Amino acid sequence: MDTKTQGSVSPPLQENLVINNTIPRAIELVILSLLISLLVYRIVAFKDQDHYFPWLLALFCESWFTFNWILVMNAKWFQSMTKTYPERLFDRANESEFPEVDIFVTTADSILEPSIITMNTVLSLLAVDYPANKLALYLSDDACSPLTFYSLIETTKFAKIWVPFCKKYNVQVRAPYRYFTPDPPLMDDESLDFQQEWKQMKNEYGILYKKIKIAAQRTFPCDRDSDFGVFANAHRSNHPTIIKVVSENKEGTPNELPHVIYISREKNSKHHHHYKAGAMNVLARVSGVMTNAPLMLNVDCDMYANNPQVFLHAMCMFFGFKNEEDCAFVQFPQAFYDGLKDDPFGIQLVNLFYMVNGIASMQGAFYGGSNCFHRRKVIYGSSPNDAIKTGNTDNECLHKMFGKSIEMRESAVQALSRSNAKMENRRIPSSSVEAAIQVAGCSYEYGTAWGKQIGWMYGSTAEDILTGISIHGRGWKSVFCVPEPAPFLGCAPMTYPAVLIQQKRWATGLLEVFCSNKNPLLLTINGKLRFRHALVYMWICFWAVRSVPEICYAVLPAYCIITNSRFLPKISEPAFLIPMAIFVIYSLYGLWEVKRLGVSVRMWWNIQRMGRVNTMTAWLFGYWNVVLKVLGLSQMVFEVTPKDQSSWSNGDDIDDANAARFTYDGSPMIVPGVITLLVNLTALVSGLSGLVNVGSRENWMAVFGLGEVFCSVYVTLCFWEYLKGLFGNGKYGIPFGTIWKSGGLALLFVQLWRRSSQWF
Ligand SMILES: O=c1ccn([C@@H]2O[C@H](COP(=O)(O)OP(=O)(O)O[C@H]3O[C@H](CO)[C@@H](O)[C@H](O)[C@H]3O)[C@@H](O)[C@H]2O)c(=O)[nH]1
Ligand SMILES: [Mn+2]
């Protein structure tokens, strides 16, 4: 791969741009010093308090916030980003020297992840600007759905006209459902030929769409001919391996289609299948024995390639670094299409922008689970300076690592020993189906290193972070690449219950990483994870833990108002300025940060409040999940996020105002949120009634602290959507059951507080 990279005359393929960060650093330091002052004040003023409990609880929460702030500052301290120049690539290397890439698409449910979405992802990837004879696309179907297989066959047929069309007219958006939806249509060419072909293509896509739609409505998508026979008795969680080579580029011509292969790994209730990580490992092995490309791209089924040059951008990184060590994987951002205006659920990850640029100057991007190119040998567990060692790895050791398949071991040796992309003895996938079936079996991994030392790591529902940290822990660096236009676009969850499920899974999975043997601190001590990078991993792993101090802090003001105690300095004390300054500076700073990214004030507020709401609901459940798992009381499941198709399937414009409204199901996750809201409302009401009974201004001050009331109002504003939910109808209303439960608990808390406050 590094054929001509050393040539000092040619301009670089990628460049690291350092971003000046002086002002943000100064502001962050000011906030830090205020936080520390507050802690000091709390300790000094402790003895003067009438009530110790709220004061101590506040001290605990604020200590955590300060610690968290230090982690954040560390992450953002140096800012940089990498820019790529794909047009320069062709001066460096010939197309025939480009490395092969095996593309992995995963799907797990043909209802939650409608086939047509997956197929559009497939089409966009088959049509990328890259020699087709260097590519193989593997679709992993964890649902073992004949519909998916049928759709893939039909899609591949359509691809035979779609791909040449895209390349001929240099179409920019190569997922047809995105290409054909805009009104007026995207026209890349004015010519009559183009217009005609465009119409024909739209028509053909319409036919494909209908075929899939009709097939989806039938119990079995088509006649049970020989190809589909295997699906007849297959149950999604109990069936033999199914591998079908749907299309093969036998001659290896660059202008044909890449290989297309369908895989449904063996499932059996006796064997744990490890969800997505398990699917990825099967993909790695099957592609290993079939095509064994040195690079692998993995995308979730909804993440279509929005920028046809994305492979070239990735190559700029792989070719562009002198040391392989600097580029174990190239991560592209996860961006979403048709995201709701102003991000009402606070999920579009914009606020992570500065974090991402910050870690770019350490060991590089986190692996995000999708949109990432990996070196195969890195996934196979090698370390940066291993290249020579692996040449003479003995067979027994290989057996223990990679399993009993001879083809697998041979391919692994090849993958581990080459630093060069050249693929000797080109094979075609259909010649290795048997070997592939063997390595996709559900007992294949027993006694091997899969999921422990090699492949995608098991033990967390955030297999991405777990796998990424183990790579960084071996001393590799990675890169983040943000070309224009956005390289991949996918579906963000479109309803609030879906958001909750996703947030809970992330928080759970991240904390699982902390509790695993890939703990960031352990990897710093025993491995090669750099200390500062480990701190950033800690920040992300602790998402779930953050829920505890946050929820305590959110009920504190209510507690104080109800029990007539204090957790903030009195307004008459100069110390009152400290928390006030923290609040004002932090809010303005956050606003300024996102404003620089072109985000509206409304969106800033949504990110802010949903940050609080998600932490106190979904992340709190994530925390409990992990506690229960550690106690051995529960097991994790990977709940797939539904991919919404309303925005494109029928061409109707979604009504943003309605889509942004919160909907509720019976999920218990919102209970802590409703309780928090209810106790704060109770506090405000009881505060108000206290106010009515008091006359003059001085007395009014004596009744309750202004700071506490302000905080209570703030929490209520954060939960405004829940407040609406209490009175909403139908799906927009919080179910009665949830309201009663939360109401009962809130009442219980308030009574308990009233009675017990005299003791603390
Ligand atoms: O048993 C399973 C479960 C999931 N998947 C696939 O995993 C992908 C991600 O699932 P999704 O429900 O879309 O999760 P998200 O929360 O959107 O995904 C983010 O978070 C996950 C970790 O929690 C990562 O695996 C993903 O790559 C990352 O995009 C999808 O393609 C699924 O088909 C499987 O193949 N098998
Ligand atoms: Mn997803």
Side-chain angles (χ1 to χ4, degrees), residues 106-108 113 140 142 265 273 275-276 279 300-302 334 368-370 461-464 502 505-506 638-641 643:
T106 48
T107 175
E113 305 182 325
S140 152
D142 265 351
R265 60 186 165 131
H273 62 77
Y275 305 103
K276 181 176 172 192
D300 289 351
C301 60
D302 56 316
Q334 301 205 21
S370 179
T461 49
E463 83 301 326
D464 41 4
Q502 188 184 47
R505 166 154 46 74
W506 286 354
F638 189 115
E639 287 173 81
V640 172
T641 318
K643 276 75 182 172

Side-chain angles (χ1 to χ4, degrees), residues 64-78:
W64 174 274
F65 300 148
T66 310
F67 167 65
N68 194 57
W69 187 248
I70 294 171
L71 296 184
V72 170
M73 280 178 67
N74 163 66
K76 301 201 297 195
W77 198 253
F78 296 102

Side-chain angles (χ1 to χ4, degrees), residues 104-122 139-149 151-152 155 177 209 212-213 216 236 262-263 265 267 273 275-276 279-280 283 298-303 334 336-337 369-370 463 490-493 498 501-502 505-506 638-646 648-649:
F104 304 155
V105 180
T106 48
T107 175
D109 193 315
S110 59
I111 294 164
L112 293 177
E113 305 182 325
S115 279
I116 192 76
I117 293 191
T118 311
M119 293 308 134
N120 271 277
T121 302
V122 167
L139 174 67
S140 152
D141 176 18
D142 265 351
C144 190
S145 150
L147 173 65
T148 306
F149 178 50
S151 308
L152 188 63
T155 299
Y177 74 96
Y209 178 80
I212 295 179
K213 198 171 169 189
R236 57 173 299 161
Y262 171 90
I263 305 173
R265 60 186 165 131
K267 290 262 183 76
H273 62 77
Y275 305 103
K276 181 176 172 192
M280 294 308 298
L283 282 163
N298 95 270
V299 292
D300 289 351
C301 60
D302 56 316
M303 282 283 173
Q334 301 205 21
F336 306 100
Y337 58 84
S370 179
E463 83 301 326
C491 318
I501 291 177
Q502 188 184 47
R505 166 154 46 74
W506 286 354
F638 189 115
E639 287 173 81
V640 172
T641 318
K643 276 75 182 172
D644 205 88
Q645 47 175 334
S646 57
W648 51 270
S649 59

